């Protein structure tokens, strides 16, 4: 069943567009960065990973190559059709309820900054609900200047340009972000809602769902290892 577009999220360009405005063809073209190395350095070798918001499997495939077992979750069936070698589950992350737990729960792609605070709470509850004893949650946060260093652009070595065109305040700490991805043969746009989270507010949000920061994995604070809070 095709899912309804999330309010405030849209995208344009060739191919299928997911409920949160992501273009499947675009994400199939984007290269994976250093994220798999950051993840691999923070968790036990061969760990069982629950990847929330896997998309087309850019990180999924890299983690599989490093010897991890991955269960990939996404609300877009079109995205999951591109995933190879992992178990896939289609549906909203915040509604996920599996009768199993995992060594590592991965919440990347800045999903923790969901514009709807109830969605964010649901995402973090899903993380906590599926965390094995002694396991960890790895979360990717936005950079400190993501909402202020605008407009900005980055030319990727692969030959395409990423632009954050504008950030427009909606109120209550939520912004509408407009992005462009320009390739020699195609252009995609994405509009989405993002809630700014200071480090303090981010840690409070984790605590509200029974999690706490174990350590920040990168100097910029964008990758975080969290664990279950002590009762």
């Amino acid at each position: 069943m095709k899912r309804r577009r999330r309010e405030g999220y849209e995208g344009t360009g060739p191919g299928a567009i997911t409920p949160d405005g992501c273009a499947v063809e675009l994400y199939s073209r984007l290269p994976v960065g250093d994220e798999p190395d950051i993840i691999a350095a923070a968790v036990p070798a061969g760990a069982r990973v629950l990847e929330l918001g896997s998309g087309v499997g850019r990180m999924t495939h890299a983690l599989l190559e490093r010897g991890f077992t991955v269960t990939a979750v996404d609300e877009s069936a079109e995205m999951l059709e591109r995933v190879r070698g992992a178990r896939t589950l289609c549906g909203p992350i915040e509604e996920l309820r599996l009768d199993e737990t995992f060594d590592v729960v991965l919440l990347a792609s800045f999903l923790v900054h969901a514009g709807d605070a109830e969605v964010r709470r649901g995402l973090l509850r899903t993380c906590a609900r599926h965390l094995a004893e002694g396991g960890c949650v790895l979360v990717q946060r936005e950079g400190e200047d993501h909402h202020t260093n605008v407009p900005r652009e980055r030319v990727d070595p692969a030959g395409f340009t990423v632009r954050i065109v504008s950030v427009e305040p909606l109120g209550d700490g939520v912004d509408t972000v407009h992005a462009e991805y320009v390739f020699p043969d195609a252009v995609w746009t994405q509009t989405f809602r993002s809630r700014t989270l200071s480090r303090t507010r981010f840690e409070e949000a984790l605590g509200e769902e029974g999690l706490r920061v174990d350590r920040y994995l990168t100097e910029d604070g964008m990758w975080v290892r969290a664990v279950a809070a002590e009762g």
Side-chain angles (χ1 to χ4, degrees):
M1 182 179 67
K2 188 175 180 62
R3 293 197 56 81
R4 187 170 56 186
R5 185 67 43 83
R6 289 181 181 264
E7 183 179 358
Y9 295 73
E10 59 184 66
T12 67
I17 305 294
T18 68
D20 61 354
C22 295
V24 176
E25 289 297 329
L26 165 63
Y27 278 82
S28 296
R29 295 187 182 200
L30 296 180
V32 66
D34 60 358
E35 293 94 340
D37 293 328
I38 294 171
I39 295 166
V43 304
R48 295 179 66 245
V49 179
L50 178 64
E51 184 185 5
L52 304 176
S54 66
V56 297
R58 286 185 302 145
M59 282 201 288
T60 314
H61 299 142
L63 293 174
L64 290 170
E65 291 171 359
R66 287 161 172 78
F68 296 100
T69 301
V70 183
T71 295
V73 180
D74 203 278
E75 67 179 353
S76 167
E78 293 94 341
M79 287 281 197
L80 289 175
E81 287 174 359
R82 309 293 179 101
V83 176
R84 298 288 181 266
R87 176 173 63 153
T88 60
L89 299 171
C90 187
I93 295 167
E94 59 269 32
E95 298 175 10
L96 185 70
R97 283 171 172 78
L98 302 177
D99 188 23
E100 59 186 304
T101 56
F102 297 81
D103 305 314
V104 181
V105 181
L106 178 60
L107 187 69
S109 302
F110 312 128
L111 291 176
V112 74
H113 292 273
D116 186 331
E118 279 304 313
V119 170
R120 183 198 69 229
R121 294 184 185 106
L123 297 176
L124 291 175
R125 286 170 190 153
T126 293
C127 292
R129 185 162 54 240
H130 294 92
L131 187 61
E133 184 175 355
C136 66
V137 179
L138 301 185
V139 184
Q140 186 181 23
R141 301 172 58 230
E142 291 179 340
E144 295 297 328
D145 65 349
H146 267 43
H147 291 238
T148 56
N149 179 22
V150 179
R152 65 179 183 272
E153 75 173 37
R154 175 180 63 84
V155 179
D156 192 272
F160 63 91
T161 300
V162 182
R163 297 191 183 107
I164 303 300
V165 179
S166 64
V167 173
E168 301 166 3
L170 285 176
D172 191 33
V174 179
D175 294 326
T176 292
V177 182
H178 301 275
E180 291 181 351
Y181 301 82
V182 181
F183 286 73
D185 62 338
V187 176
W188 285 272
T189 72
Q190 184 180 7
T191 298
F192 57 95
R193 292 181 179 178
S194 178
R195 179 180 295 274
T196 55
L197 293 173
S198 66
R199 185 171 294 203
T200 298
R201 183 65 195 101
F202 167 73
E203 294 183 1
E204 289 174 348
L206 290 181
E208 290 165 4
E209 309 308 332
L211 299 168
R212 65 172 177 82
V213 170
D214 177 55
R215 66 180 186 271
Y216 287 86
L217 301 175
T218 53
E219 289 187 7
D220 57 15
M222 290 176 64
W223 276 96
V224 185
R225 186 181 193 273
V227 296
E230 297 178 1

